[in-house]
Amino acid sequence: AQSVTQLGSHVSVSEGALVLLRCNYSSSVPPYLFWYVQYPNQGLQLLLKYTSAATLVKGINGFEAEFKKSETSFHLTKPSAHMSDAAEYFCAVSDGNSGNTPLVFGKGTRLSVIA
Amino acid sequence: NAGVTQTPKFQVLKTGQSMTLQCAQDMNHNSMYWYRQDPGMGLRLIYYSASEGTTDKGEVPNGYNVSRLNKREFSLRLESAAPSQTSVYFCASSDRVGQFFGPGTRLTVL
């Protein structure tokens, strides 16, 4: 079965600094990988997804993620943090062979941005 | 286009009471899901429905039942609520792009 590990339950960065949120996955088949963002008291919003096309995936709000099969990683980055990026971020893997199947989520990383 | 809607937004129950959480989507998606979110646990799948008329158990189905009423609606029922079911419940639907989530229902069981 697929699983996801997010390193660091809380990450704090200064405004303008690089954001790096780590995600490692375990999957027996080529995975579909996702990053979601959750703002306080809201549902989850899709940031980006990997579906075996380009290994560098660009998403909304300036975020991107790189799929590295050799490291089983799918880390999320943003070159310059903004105050509005403060939220909880979830990495997820599709428990199947398409994006249209249940997701297995990591436990989440809360991002704080310091002025 | 409202996306995924959930009712109610908040609910407080006493142990042993029953209730149904409602979910509807207007994106013509075949697949729908129920997850629960607990602090430090991420989201865990309760039940899902790959198409109208089918449902399958997820990781944490005990204490819950579901009904896929039609293509649009997927409800989650707690027959006898327990304090361990205090959580935030999210409904989602999906297409090839990904899963789209509702705003959630915050449930407290006393």
Side-chain angles (χ1 to χ4, degrees):
Chain A
Q2 280 86 344
S3 66
V4 172
T5 302
Q6 290 185 241
L7 297 177
S9 60
H10 185 208
V11 170
S12 185
V13 300
S14 298
E15 191 174 20
L18 172 71
V19 175
L20 171 60
L21 304 181
R22 300 178 187 274
C23 172
N24 288 89
Y25 69 92
S26 170
S27 175
S28 58
V29 298
Y32 280 51
L33 293 159
F34 304 80
W35 275 100
Y36 282 85
V37 60
Q38 183 182 34
Y39 299 102
N41 300 313
Q42 294 188 25
L44 279 70
Q45 180 182 1
L46 180 64
L47 269 180
L48 52 80
K49 68 171 187 175
Y50 167 78
T51 59
S52 76
T55 56
L56 183 63
V57 182
K58 294 188 183 299
I60 62 171
N61 302 338
F63 284 93
E64 62 183 35
E66 185 173 9
F67 173 72
K68 292 187 176 180
K69 184 177 179 180
S70 62
E71 299 178 6
T72 60
S73 68
F74 190 56
H75 302 331
L76 182 70
T77 60
K78 182 174 181 178
S80 177
H82 192 271
M83 297 296 289
S84 61
D85 295 327
E88 188 146 24
Y89 292 80
F90 293 95
C91 182
V93 62
S94 180
D95 190 17
N97 59 3
S98 77
N100 213 0
T101 55
L103 296 177
V104 176
F105 284 86
K107 294 184 177 181
T109 298
R110 181 167 300 278
L111 176 67
S112 297
V113 182
I114 304 167
Chain B
N1 190 340
V4 179
T5 57
Q6 293 182 237
T7 56
K9 285 185 170 54
F10 301 94
Q11 184 71 48
V12 179
L13 294 177
K14 295 181 180 178
T15 295
Q17 288 185 317
S18 62
M19 79 161 294
T20 299
L21 281 64
Q22 306 287 354
C23 173
Q25 53 94 7
D26 62 3
M27 295 175 281
N28 202 36
H29 291 163
N30 286 319
S31 299
M32 298 185 72
Y33 313 82
W34 277 105
Y35 295 90
R36 59 177 289 172
Q37 182 180 26
D38 301 293
M41 298 293 290
L43 278 77
R44 293 179 292 170
L45 182 69
I46 305 172
Y47 271 94
Y48 69 102
S49 171
S51 62
E52 186 178 351
T54 68
T55 61
D56 285 287
K57 295 180 180 179
E59 179 185 354
V60 289
N62 291 345
Y64 305 95
N65 286 300
V66 291
S67 296
R68 183 73 182 268
L69 304 170
N70 48 55
K71 191 171 186 178
R72 289 187 64 249
E73 299 173 288
F74 188 37
S75 63
L76 179 71
R77 183 161 178 83
L78 287 71
E79 291 291 352
S80 179
S84 61
Q85 295 178 305
T86 293
S87 188
V88 181
Y89 292 85
F90 287 101
C91 178
S93 67
S94 71
D95 61 13
R96 292 181 61 190
V97 174
Q99 290 192 17
F100 299 87
F101 286 78
T105 294
R106 187 173 296 273
L107 175 66
T108 300
V109 183
L110 302 175

